[in-house]
């Protein structure tokens, strides 16, 4: 890495999350010498980029740190010699997200932007773009780390692992929240609690929880089963089935509700769609308000309201990860990496979300071995779906895409999958170059 | 095995299928010297045992083979020194089956007696009985082969493998039908076609189809995708989604429809339940008619009408298997055995349904290695469900049972699973000694 | 396969074994319609080819079967449209074998033509040739089966599996002899005995022996431990250490003596080299005598004396295999195939020697799962050596070759390996095009 | 752990290494509140215990730390409520070691106290004692960590893992030395270098070496191949075969010389045995001198001369490990733990030596996945030998012991193994209760 200071390129720099990542770098500036942060966006995002970019500039200035914020629509300029590239872009913007949420609901299936058919659609749109970015990186900054938090993060990470030469870490705030919750439940300091995570992105389990050298997993589970509140901001709180949780005997992640409480979640979604709107619709309003706030020339710090947005800690986690790599901190952090045998029940070449030691060389996964039968099946079927999704998105093979979608446990069956897939392709065709030919010949 | 001739004990001897197994032994008598067939049943089945037992006697007599039919309610007498034990019993009779079909429908889930929540209920009832039978066998005929075709055959076989010392083979007619269908599609002689099967009972795929040394899998799949009729008697014919089948590129089994065409199957079931009744209710009528036929003292052969019953070839397959073991025939036959690494994607100690060479020593599985990603996930999640079901049924652990049922892909989620589980326990309590305590304390 | 009859191409057709393969085809002619047998050899083997070829012609004529024997030095003509290709060639002829035996002895290591450093040298010479043959086959007879019995058969088979598109089966007479010995020990008919083999070529164990459905492994082992003679013609009979064999509790192969009785074997070899000559030198004399016999224009059958040669049943096994494939016989036969998970303790892409069902589609391995710890380590270390040998022989990488040779358990260490490797390259350079450059620069 | 301070029990407290462990605790006293160190020994070691124990007392006093040294022959008193138990005992004392070194030399095999037949003999003697200690621990301090550095450390650790309920970490100074050497070669600070270790105790490879985020493995290997000195004190420096090391492309451990340079090592040992004596004989003299030094009432620190002893850093590593556990330091340290899939090429229940993160909960292994073929075979065959050795030592099964010893790559073959085994049993019979019966009946 450059001795004179680090260059960060943030793809999707016009995101409402940007103040958090800027704050993260400011807070770590004493040990993490970031000299340039390039916020990149596309033409459609120019306005938002300028608003949030100017806020970023004010933040840096106010903090008095030696770091330049650059705004650009030229991705290649931003990537050139970058040390770290973070990705927080959203292909098709929030309107695409709203479609991802609504198409499945038409067929009485969970509509969610990262899991289920919605996440599948998002993957189809995102994969051509991430491959493009990586192609640029291979040319312009081949040694840079790609810190991805564009969702579906596990699928995107797996795509990069399988189809590019770029060093990648997939990041998610979910296990960070789970760690916090475990500490809260234990009324303990976060640093005294060690959660050994294993699973997939948005399907990760806290398999073992330790407090000061004792395995306290049972204690945490019992407290949760007794109704301690356990949820993330963007997911309604509804409680696990007590007996189910007690048998599970580990920490499920908030997204497990789509699988363990499908019916209730689906009803909630249908109701919400009819009333306050889908999560995407709500977020769209929140974002509009946030950008109004961001415009205020007197604002020079991350506003409190950003925490309503849902993805908090995401950007901070990215800064923490970058710091841990840069300073060889060897902290234990759950991230998405190549499995390579860490979880014995999954193929070696796939992405898993698991506790890693973060070193200067990158994340080194702790070994998990075999997981419990009770979580094994779900983890395996979702991973198989993800593998097939990567394949379908890369090749643009319609039949393979249908197979992938059918395999998703939140999709009823192959007939419904076919209807949803056709809707997804039709309504996203401008973002799906790989399915253009099929669309022209069959769906137009 | 006894030099003087073989002793067969058939548990559930009063079944309407009995004429088929008797016919199977008669047809093979020239090389398979069965001297005694003990038809065992319980008090509740006494009448049917006598009816079908007398038919069996007439059949044997008419065929002129040297074989004695014995009818008994004393299982231990029947098992004593038996060479082969076949199981075709049904705990709770057809009324229990009808309940198994109806309880899931209350919650908008597939109601089927072998797969889904219905199969789960059947497993809970059957496992205590099969363990009892095996305990008797360990004492009275420890070297005998148990040829199980009581459903859910894979789960029952796994229970015997894990919890007893009895040599067991689980049998199913489904792959036999699939083999026949493949031959029909190819317009070829059955013996020229080799189907390499792998998967689980009622979730088995014909992964490779060979005809005279050529891999003709694609050809068969394309014909099926073009609508060649492919179904078993007891499952409505409704056709696969063409693109899905083409991507699958192997032979699904008829029961895959519950997974690949869930919605259509569920609607069919709901409609049927309202009109002609569930499959169990239909079968009950068919059985009543069959037993009327069986009473005819002039009838001395298997009546044609038995083929309407649905499980044809089951009993014949049992005879074929016994014959292959006895005569060391080394034919290739798909049966349920311990995995032991044959399918690399599943644990070693579970039951799998896979092509085996049948030798005097028992079935030796052909190696499969890894299966394709597109079928791997479903196979793994169903197997995980099955493993947990065995555990729950053996221990009577309610929370574990809830976990198992939640894991079943045909069960919506944990809340619905809990409701179904409570119904299952309440309505089957006389057959569920292992859940008695829980019932008394929580559900009464 | 051609309807008008089969075309066989035998590479190394001038071998003294040829009469056995001819006899094998004659004996099976009623069901295996071989119409042409092309005996191919190279210029140096022209004389032997003519002698043995003419004997072959007389044999066929005497037997009155409709089959033409063709002699040629043009390999491509022989391969064109062949149905089966058998390989029994020896690069460098017996003189190379004698060198393979003698070089290791210089360094006090086992000198044997298939195992140890001798087998390594043979692999380096043979691999460029087999790759050439396969390249021709890919062009001239891409659907033909390659039935290899050129040693080291496992390494050669693995090379073909990894580096060509040719369908290959590696054959060895050793397990056939072991099966016979097991039957002899049991005083049983060979067909009543089933030996389940697993391991590597010349390192195969008969892990389970069944007689009429009973596991009689212990019985056979105890008889062998009590001194029943158990050996092949080309390996001195010296008896296992009784306690070792009893713990092993399975059938070792004759070549295991190089590993289990290394010291005694080495002393024997050193003594033999000083007196009657190495095995290669003895064989050279036997061959000379055989060819004298073969010249006799009155000889029209395989002479008894061929049985002294050592490799008996090899060629007959080839005919049996070809017959089983052609007629879809589904017999169980131990052959060398891709592992693909059949033996869980070895990589998937390597060649293993294991019991297979022989079908029209080729051999389908029976599943083994994990082997016993007591044989696992040796099997794994030898396989790792074999994998590295294939790599070294294909690439001509000297350092890799040194690594491979050092890994061989019959080679003392890396310093001695280096000396031997240098000798091997120097003395075989005309057959080692892949090491030419290294030789020119370092060893000349 | 006790709030009031830690209790350490050191079995074999009379060892000459004791001053190092005392120094280790003194140096860490500011963060590791050790209040009691119980030095335990047996009657035969009473004198040495008193000498070294008194030195320990003087060291603690001089350092002015609040820690009591207790000397005892009552192991149970020492174990009672201990927080950590360290084991550095030697069954049979140095005389037994000398026998372990000499018996193999009689048969022209490597004679070394941890690897080869010598290590095997040591394992047979040590295992009954360690099992006894663990039985006491299960009763008296079931939550204590056992930090074992009695050799053969991997085998002893595996025994504890498989046959007791005690939490164990096996420790070795070898990877610590390798890490130091790597840093020296790189002329870098030790803390900037990360070596990812994998393998077995005394057969561990530094597979990847990182310096400030770069993989510098090749650089280190090339320097070593060019002759940079690389060795431990107790192993003669003789240099690897350059081409071998270059292909290996990782860091071998000093003990690899017994495998990679067997012949040279054997010759060295034979020569040494004739002249200055075996390593054990040399150490015996060094120890005598050390104890003379220790007697000096003015000595109150670890004398420099202890570094000649060979096992330096061992005891310090133990203190470092205990400190890391106690303070949840999460440093990366290579130790011996249960594999559980960390190294995909080895069974799950065996001990491996691999880089772990040391947490309050104990060591959590970093994942390795599959290792390179070039090291896989040796690692696997030695592990298989170790597994069988544990089994033989626990059961006292002579045939199994013979099998184990035959499997050791440093033992020529089964005949020689038998002779050595008989010598080992005869000459160690007072320490081999498990082989008493066999000895009485067969060897007396």
């Amino acid at each position: 890495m450059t001795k004179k200071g680090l260059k960060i390129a943030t793809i999707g720099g016009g995101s409402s999350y940007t103040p958090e990542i800027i704050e993260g770098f400011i807070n770590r500036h004493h040990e993490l010498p970031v000299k340039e942060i390039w916020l990149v966006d596309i033409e459609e995002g120019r306005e938002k980029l300028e608003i949030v970019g100017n806020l970023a500039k004010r933040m840096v200035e106010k903090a008095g740190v030696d770091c330049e914020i650059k705004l650009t629509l030229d991705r290649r300029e931003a990537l050139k010699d970058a040390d770290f590239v973070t990705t927080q872009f959203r292909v098709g913007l929030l309107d695409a997200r709203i479609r991802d949420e609504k198409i499945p609901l038409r067929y009485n299936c969970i509509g969610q932007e990262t899991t289920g058919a919605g996440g599948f659609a998002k993957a189809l749109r995102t994969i051509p773009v991430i491959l493009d970015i990586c192609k640029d990186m291979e040319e312009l900054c081949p040694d840079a780390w790609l810190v991805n938090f564009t969702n579906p993060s596990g699928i995107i990470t797996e795509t990069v692992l399988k189809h590019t030469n770029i060093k990648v870490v997939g990041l998610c705030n979910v296990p960070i929240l789970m760690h916090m919750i475990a500490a809260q439940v234990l009324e303990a300091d976060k640093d005294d609690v060690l959660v050994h995570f294993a699973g997939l992105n948005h399907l990760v389990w806290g398999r073992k929880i330790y407090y000061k050298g004792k395995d306290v997993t049972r204690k945490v589970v019992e407290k949760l089963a007794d109704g301690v509140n356990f949820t993330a901001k963007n997911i309604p709180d509804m409680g696990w089935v007590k007996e189910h949780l007690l048998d599970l005997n580990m920490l499920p992640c908030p997204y497990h509700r789509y699988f363990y409480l499908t019916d209730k979640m689906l009803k909630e979604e249908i109701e919400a769609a009819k009333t306050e709107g889908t999560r995407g619709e709500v977020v769209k309003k929140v974002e509009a308000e946030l950008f109004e706030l961001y415009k205020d020339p007197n604002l020079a710090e991350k506003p409190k309201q950003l925490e309503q947005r849902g993805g908090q800690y995401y950007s901070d986690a990215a800064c923490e990860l970058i710091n841990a790599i840069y300073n060889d901190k060897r902290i234990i952090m759950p991230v998405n990496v190549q499995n390579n045998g860490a979880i014995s029940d999954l193929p070696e070449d796939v992405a898993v979300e698991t506790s890693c030691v973060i070193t200067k060389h990158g994340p080194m996964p702790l070994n998990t071995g075999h997981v419990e039968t009770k979580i094994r099946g779900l983890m395996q079927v979702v991973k198989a779906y993800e593998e097939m999704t990567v394949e379908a998105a890369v090749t643009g093979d319609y039949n393979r895409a249908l197979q992938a979608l059918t395999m998703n446990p939140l999709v009823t069956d192959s007939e419904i999958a076919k209807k949803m897939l056709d809707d997804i392709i039709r309504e996203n065709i401008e973002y799906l170059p790989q399915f253009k030919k099929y669309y022209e010949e069959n769906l137009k």
Side-chain angles (χ1 to χ4, degrees), chain A residues 157-384:
Chain A
T157 303
E158 184 162 320
T159 304
V160 175
L161 287 169
K162 285 182 169 170
H163 294 283
T164 83
N165 295 315
I166 293 303
K167 296 183 293 183
V168 65
V169 191
L171 212 61
C172 186
N173 62 341
V174 162
I176 297 170
L177 292 167
M178 292 165 74
H179 182 186
M180 286 176 173
I181 289 161
Q184 280 168 26
V185 166
L186 291 165
E187 295 171 45
D189 188 279
K190 201 166 68 72
D191 293 339
D192 285 336
V193 176
L194 174 60
V195 184
H196 194 161
F197 289 97
L200 312 180
N201 180 244
H202 287 196
L203 197 79
V204 72
W205 289 268
R207 282 176 68 238
K208 291 281 169 202
I209 307 168
Y210 302 109
Y211 173 67
K212 294 196 174 174
K214 295 251 176 213
D215 183 334
V216 295
T217 318
R218 189 73 198 158
K219 188 174 166 188
V220 174
V221 166
E222 283 176 352
K223 286 204 173 190
L224 289 172
D226 282 345
V228 167
N229 177 51
F230 164 51
T231 187
K233 281 270 156 29
N234 56 347
I235 294 171
D237 173 19
M238 50 180 56
W240 309 103
V241 172
K242 185 177 173 166
E243 293 86 351
H244 182 249
L245 184 59
L246 286 172
D247 185 73
L248 197 59
N249 201 29
M250 56 182 84
L251 213 55
C253 84
Y255 285 84
H256 274 111
R257 292 190 172 153
Y258 294 109
F259 299 91
Y260 290 153
L261 300 167
T262 319
D263 191 53
K264 189 180 277 180
M265 296 302 283
L266 180 57
K267 284 176 181 151
E268 282 256 344
E269 286 187 346
I270 290 169
E271 178 59 23
K274 283 190 203 145
T275 55
E276 89 254 28
T278 67
R279 179 76 197 154
E281 289 170 312
V282 171
V283 162
K284 203 171 170 180
K285 281 175 224 152
V286 173
E287 284 231 337
E289 291 162 21
L290 278 174
F291 275 91
E292 276 315 303
L293 280 174
Y294 290 178
K295 283 179 188 164
D296 177 358
N298 296 316
L299 183 72
E301 54 188 14
K302 188 187 75 182
K304 276 256 166 224
Q305 293 88 332
L306 180 51
E307 286 171 25
Q308 306 306 312
R309 176 64 184 79
Q312 80 269 39
Y313 305 119
Y314 240 123
S315 313
D316 198 68
C319 298
E320 186 66 12
L321 175 72
I322 289 169
N323 195 16
I325 292 176
Y326 182 76
N327 287 306
D328 201 15
K329 290 226 164 182
R330 306 196 185 176
I331 55 171
I332 298 176
M333 201 173 167
V335 292
N336 289 270
V337 293
Q338 193 184 34
N339 183 33
N340 189 30
I343 301 178
S344 304
D345 307 294
L346 293 176
E348 294 175 11
D349 63 345
V350 303
V352 295
E353 187 164 297
T354 191
S355 296
C356 292
V357 183
I358 311 300
T359 73
K360 192 139 200 152
H361 169 72
M364 302 175 86
L366 297 186
N367 182 56
T368 285
H370 289 290
V371 301
E372 296 73 12
T373 307
K374 55 196 166 194
I375 65 170
R376 198 186 67 217
L378 179 57
M379 184 182 79
Q380 289 175 324
V381 75
V382 172
K383 176 42 73 186

Side-chain angles (χ1 to χ4, degrees), chain A residues 55-119:
Chain A
L55 169 56
K57 286 178 182 180
R58 295 194 300 274
M59 287 173 71
V60 162
E61 191 180 10
K62 187 186 176 193
V65 299
D66 173 20
C67 174
E68 213 175 336
I69 303 292
K70 310 262 197 174
L71 312 184
T72 184
L73 301 185
D74 180 349
R75 193 171 73 197
R76 291 178 57 87
E77 188 188 14
L79 291 178
K80 180 89 183 96
D81 298 327
D83 296 294
F84 291 92
V85 177
T86 70
T87 49
Q88 54 184 49
F89 63 90
R90 181 186 290 284
V91 180
L93 308 176
L94 281 168
D95 287 338
R97 172 177 180 169
I98 295 163
R99 285 196 302 272
D100 291 349
E101 291 167 340
K102 289 191 163 174
I103 290 174
L105 290 181
R106 284 176 206 160
Y107 303 100
N108 233 20
C109 290
I110 291 288
Q112 209 280 333
E113 68 153 346
T114 66
T115 200

